[in-house]
């Protein structure tokens, strides 16, 4: 019924009752029984039980805008796809998508998950050349068309399945984010309830189990790359990385990704989970896609209610609900002295540091985020940590507060004779600040090639609900956790990577002949710009911005490259013929002209300059773009540059007469580099497409 009338709100319900009386032609009592709810604070309207005839009468009343049934709507669980603009009903080329194959290099897969149901799938694409290592506990289907496992040393960790079956959960989670089918009523004990779905639900999955409970080994990674390329996958998704960056020719992932690129296959990598420290991105090769983790517009909070009635909002994925108040103790007051611990150590609640007899049946206040083990018989844990932008699960009722709120709990504990507390089950809230890159996501700059921007872009990687292995528990077999679930909520750049993987395949479904480098360019140049107000590291946190799959499918222009372009780059970086042969796998050698090549001439979709502090530097970049949009089109260059960054583009206007035509241009950048980084952008605009590339200048020493 439109806007709420001004004045006394108490009269609105009476007005609704009067309307119902007129429609029902009955007494006030009958109308009151029909009226179920009145809206009156922000707008006016009501809910009522009506026959079809009664509904029609109300519909025809002058004061009524509309009448509609109380329909049922589903919450959007893997709402990360909705958040980046890829809704469930998006336009798809389903027949093409169904012929695309994702090579998932991970911990395996749980084939019984409804996310991998093959109902209504046709036979695998004829291009598929892979196999399925079937066993007594694993079979493939028309969705999971291939599966292999790798353990080159032949020594399998105790408890792991010697098959492609997933006992960790990680591989099932990433596979369903990328290509899981739509599953209704998915949740983790009611959290995130709704529809779980992947970005390309019609795509096929090929599983390459390279990771086990004790890690992922280089030998197994390379073996999987080798098979995946030969098997005919269209993209490789690898949510794996080292603890520190390695030179390209010492990095199994960089080598494998180079081979993939040579064979027309893009490798999508997670950036790493070692943030927010700088130079922590570990997957750095320019021929692969490095993905940071950003938030979505949903977060999970877990409240703490103290015995004095005060409530503090914490963060965790807590499926438990302590329905009563429990005694509250401080970890520093209950050390396990028999094991040699004192209060300065037990305050962190590390394993075995607490006295079991003093924490049993109590909630423990800890000065840090404990490692997830059961705390010596405690019923719950309250932790303090200012990095609370992502929620994690624990085997007992747990939450972590800001250090300020943690101090309030600490003060209550010491000022109260019998302090008590209760940790509630988690609930969902909106996040108006999203998207921003989460604190754990690894940051640039690039530790190997300082003038190539990494990460390349960001994708949702925080609090993502997706399929899980029923061969493990919510917390991954942490002692005492008995919760076995089909879906789980976890965070990491591991979750961001398959989002980018699916976005790349979505692009490929509309552009089947696009090279892996062109697909990467399409994702980067159409990414939604993000704000440095939430991430002071700016492009070193989020790269080009957050993925926008629909725009990426029609990018207008792409920065394309072939193998020889990368070889020239490596020669110019000082790689010897011997080293290049390790990477390329052939008899590549560096000519004199190639050794003179510079990193600034690599046809990358971003521009980066590094130099010493308090210096003024000029760099010249040569770039070539290929028209993949409107055949006849003209693009104009627009520069966004802050003080200290001067950018000139020649020519600033480029015209195309056909699809596939290439045009080259030169970008000259002069930067005054002080203590902090400065950044801007170059945008090519034809009135339809915005092809955006970040420009970054920073002090490397």
């Amino acid at each position: 019924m439109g806007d709420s009338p001004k004045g006394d709100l108490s009269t609105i319900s009476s007005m609704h009752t009067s309307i119902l009386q007129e429609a029902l032609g009955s007494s006030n009592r009958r109308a009151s029984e029909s009226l179920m709810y009145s809206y009156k604070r922000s707008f006016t309207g009501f809910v009522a039980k009506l026959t079809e005839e009664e509904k029609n009468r109300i519909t025809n009343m002058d004061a009524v805008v509309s009448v509609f049934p109380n329909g049922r709507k589903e919450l959007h669980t893997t709402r990360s796809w909705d958040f980046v603009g890829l809704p469930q009903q998006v336009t798809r080329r389903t027949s093409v998508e169904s012929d695309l194959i994702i090579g998932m290099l991970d911990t395996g897969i749980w084939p019984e998950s409804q996310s991998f149901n093959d109902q209504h799938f046709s036979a695998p694409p004829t291009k598929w050349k892979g196999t399925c290592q079937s066993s007594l506990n694993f079979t493939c289907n028309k969705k999971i068309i291939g599966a292999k496992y790798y353990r080159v040393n032949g020594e399998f960790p105790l408890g792991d399945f010697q098959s492609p079956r997933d006992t960790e959960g990680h591989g099932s989670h990433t596979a369903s984010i990328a290509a899981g089918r739509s599953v209704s009523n998915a949740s983790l004990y009611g959290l995130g309830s709704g529809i779980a779905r992947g970005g390309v639900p019609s795509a096929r999955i090929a599983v390459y189990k390279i990771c086990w409970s004790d890690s992922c080994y280089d030998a197994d990674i390379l073996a999987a790359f080798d098979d995946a390329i030969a098997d005919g996958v269209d993209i490789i998704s690898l949510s794996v990385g080292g603890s520190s960056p390695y030179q390209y020719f010492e990095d199994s992932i960089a080598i494998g990704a180079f081979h993939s690129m040579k064979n027309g296959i893009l490798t999508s990598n997670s950036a790493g989970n070692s943030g927010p420290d700088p130079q922590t991105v570990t997957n750095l090769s320019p021929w692969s896609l490095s993905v940071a983790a950003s938030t979505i517009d949903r977060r999970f909070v877990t409240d703490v209610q103290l015995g004095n009635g005060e409530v503090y909002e914490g963060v965790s994925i807590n499926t438990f609900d302590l329905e009563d108040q429990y005694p509250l103790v401080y970890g520093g007051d209950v050390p396990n002295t028999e094991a040699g611990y004192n209060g300065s150590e037990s305050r962190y609640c590390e394993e075995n540091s607490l006295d079991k007899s003093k924490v049993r049946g109590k909630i423990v206040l800890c000065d840090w985020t404990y490692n997830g083990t059961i705390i010596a018989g405690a019923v719950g844990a309250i932790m303090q940590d200012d990095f609370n932008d992502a929620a994690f699960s624990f085997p007992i009722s747990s939450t972590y507060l800001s250090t300020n709120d943690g101090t309030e709990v600490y003060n209550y504990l010491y000022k109260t004779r019998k302090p008590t507390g209760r940790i509630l089950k988690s609930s969902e809230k909106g996040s108006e600040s999203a998207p921003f890159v989460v604190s754990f996501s690894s940051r640039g700059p690039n530790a190997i090639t300082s003038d190539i921007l990494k990460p390349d872009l960001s994708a949702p990687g925080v609090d993502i609900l997706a399929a899980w292995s029923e061969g493990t528990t919510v917390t991954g077999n942490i002692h005492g956790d008995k919760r076995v679930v089909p879906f789980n909520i976890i965070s990491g750049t591991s979750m961001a990577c398959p989002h980018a993987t699916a976005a790349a395949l979505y692009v490929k479904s509309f552009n089947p002949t696009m090279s892996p480098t062109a697909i990467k360019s399409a994702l980067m140049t159409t990414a939604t710009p993000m704000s440095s107000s939430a991430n002071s590291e700016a492009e070193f946190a989020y790269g080009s911005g957050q993925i926008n799959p629909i725009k990426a499918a029609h990018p207008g222009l792409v920065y394309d490259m072939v193998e020889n372009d990368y070889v020239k780059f490596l020669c110019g970086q000082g790689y010897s013929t011997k080293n290049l042969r390790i990477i390329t796998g052939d008899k590549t050698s560096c000519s004199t002209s190639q050794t003179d090549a510079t990193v600034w001439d690599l046809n990358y979709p971003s521009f980066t300059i590094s130099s010493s502090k308090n210096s003024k530097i000029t760099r010249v970049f040569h770039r070539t773009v290929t028209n993949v949009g409107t055949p006849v089109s003209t693009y104009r260059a627009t520069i966004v540059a802050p003080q200290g960054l001067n950018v000139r583009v020649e020519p600033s206007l480029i015209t195309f007469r056909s699809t596939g035509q290439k045009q080259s241009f030169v970008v000259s950048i002069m930067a005054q580099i002080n203590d902090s980084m400065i950044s801007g952008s170059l945008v090519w605009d034809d009135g339809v497409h915005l092809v955006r590339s970040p420009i970054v200048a920073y002090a490397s020493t």
Side-chain angles (χ1 to χ4, degrees), residues 299-310:
R299 61 194 183 100
F300 294 95
V301 298
T302 305
D303 290 344
V304 173
Q305 184 182 71
L306 301 181
N308 62 2
E310 293 294 323

Side-chain angles (χ1 to χ4, degrees), residues 214-368:
D214 65 347
S215 199
C216 323
Y217 289 93
D218 286 336
D220 301 327
I221 291 170
L222 283 172
F225 265 110
D226 192 29
D227 279 342
I229 294 166
D231 288 345
V233 303
D234 292 283
I235 193 168
I236 289 174
S237 189
L238 184 61
S239 293
V240 173
S243 57
S244 58
Y246 292 92
Q247 295 291 332
Y248 304 133
F249 59 88
E250 297 174 349
D251 184 355
S252 62
I253 296 175
I255 294 170
F258 192 94
H259 283 287
S260 300
M261 177 273 300
K262 285 177 59 176
N263 286 274
I265 302 166
L266 177 64
T267 299
S268 177
N269 289 141
S270 49
N273 295 338
S274 299
D277 292 337
Q279 285 197 324
T280 48
V281 176
T282 57
N283 288 314
L284 295 165
S285 66
W287 44 85
S288 62
L289 182 67
S290 182
V291 188
S294 53
T295 60
I296 61 173
D297 59 346
R298 176 187 67 187
R299 61 194 183 100
F300 294 95
V301 298
T302 305
D303 290 344
V304 173
Q305 184 182 71
L306 301 181
N308 62 2
E310 293 294 323
V311 176
Y312 297 96
E313 182 179 280
V315 177
S316 69
I317 304 294
N318 184 40
T319 65
F320 310 102
D321 188 353
L322 299 182
E323 296 182 355
D324 297 314
Q325 293 275 322
Y326 286 84
L328 188 61
V329 296
Y330 175 54
D333 292 338
V334 287
N336 182 0
T337 54
E338 290 185 3
Y341 290 94
N342 58 43
S344 66
E345 298 164 317
S346 65
R347 60 192 282 250
Y348 298 114
C349 300
E350 293 184 355
E351 190 172 8
N352 299 321
S353 69
L354 300 171
D355 188 325
K356 292 182 181 179
S357 65
K358 294 181 179 179
V359 300
R360 185 172 291 112
K362 298 179 174 67
I363 295 173
V364 185
L365 175 64
C366 307
D367 282 344
W368 198 245

Side-chain angles (χ1 to χ4, degrees), residues 352-423:
N352 299 321
S353 69
L354 300 171
D355 188 325
K356 292 182 181 179
S357 65
K358 294 181 179 179
V359 300
R360 185 172 291 112
K362 298 179 174 67
I363 295 173
V364 185
L365 175 64
C366 307
D367 282 344
W368 198 245
T369 306
Y370 78 106
N371 63 8
T373 56
I374 291 288
I375 300 183
V379 297
I382 301 170
M383 298 158 281
Q384 306 175 66
D385 189 349
D386 280 330
F387 289 121
N388 57 2
D389 49 6
F392 298 95
S393 293
F394 300 90
I396 59 175
S397 189
S398 303
T399 187
Y400 40 103
L401 307 177
S402 68
T403 52
N404 285 339
D405 286 348
T407 299
E408 292 296 320
V409 175
Y410 178 88
N411 291 337
Y412 161 76
L413 192 154
Y414 274 98
K415 292 177 180 178
T416 307
R417 190 166 64 88
K418 291 185 178 181
T420 61
R422 175 190 171 195
I423 302 171

Side-chain angles (χ1 to χ4, degrees), residues 486-503:
F487 292 90
N488 202 0
I489 300 169
I490 60 175
S491 300
T493 55
S494 286
M495 286 62 256
C497 171
H499 278 93
T501 300

Side-chain angles (χ1 to χ4, degrees), residues 639-654:
I639 301 295
V640 177
Q643 186 175 359
L645 197 63
N646 294 311
V647 182
R648 187 174 72 254
V649 181
E650 294 290 340
S652 60
L653 204 67
I654 52 177

